Amino acid sequence: MAVTPENIAVAMGMAAPEQDSIQWQQWELWIDDATMLIENRADQLDIDPADIGEVKFDYVVRESVVAHIKKPDDATQVSVQVDDGMTSKSYRSGKGRVTILDEWWVLLGLTDPSGAFAIDMVPGVGSIHDLACSLRFGAAYCSCGADIAGKPIYGVVP
C-alpha cells in the first residue's frame, strides 16, 4: 500500500512538490492520516487491513488526501477589508482534516454492521403464543403480541 506525494500530484494534475519541502511533508502526513483511519476502522471491525485489496486501499487514501488538499478547512468565505478596499475568497466547505467518505468505507468493505438494520426484525421461531392467539386458529397474523415481544403481551400465557 504505497501512495506517495507523486501519486497525489498526478491525481491533481500538477507537478509534485520538492522532496522534503513543507508541502511534501504535509502530503506525506495526510497520507499517513488516511492510512491510519482505514487501519483503525479495520481493527474496530476485526478485519485484517491486508485483506483489503491494495488497489482499493490506495484509491481511498489518494482520493481522501486530494479532497483534503482541494478543501483544506471548514471556512466557507474569508474576507479581508483594508480602508475602502475589500477582497473575498470563497471555499467549498471541507472538514478541516482528512476524512473518508461513507461510499469509500463501503468500497473498502469496512462498513459498521451495527445500526437500525442490524436489528433482527423476524420474530423468533420458538415464540409461545397465547391459547386464544389468532395464529392457533389458522390466521396469518398474531393477536397476542408474541410475534413482536417473543411472549404474549395480550391475553393469558398458556
Side-chain angles (χ1 to χ4, degrees), residues 15-33:
E18 294 284 325
Q19 192 167 5
D20 295 328
S21 68
I22 293 297
Q23 188 177 25
W24 178 279
Q25 293 175 20
Q26 194 175 40
W27 287 11
E28 282 187 326
L29 177 70
W30 292 338
I31 290 167
D32 292 342
D33 289 350

Side-chain angles (χ1 to χ4, degrees), residues 18-79:
E18 294 284 325
Q19 192 167 5
D20 295 328
S21 68
I22 293 297
Q23 188 177 25
W24 178 279
Q25 293 175 20
Q26 194 175 40
W27 287 11
E28 282 187 326
L29 177 70
W30 292 338
I31 290 167
D32 292 342
D33 289 350
T35 302
M36 180 270 308
L37 290 171
I38 294 169
E39 289 173 349
N40 185 53
R41 173 74 70 99
D43 288 343
Q44 289 174 347
L45 297 174
D46 201 26
I47 296 173
D48 184 3
D51 292 342
I52 301 169
E54 185 174 352
V55 173
K56 291 178 184 179
F57 192 99
D58 289 351
Y59 171 80
V60 172
V61 169
R62 185 178 60 248
E63 291 303 312
S64 63
V65 171
V66 167
H68 181 62
I69 292 169
K70 288 181 177 179
K71 299 182 284 180
D73 58 29
D74 57 357
T76 54
Q77 184 171 10
V78 177
S79 299

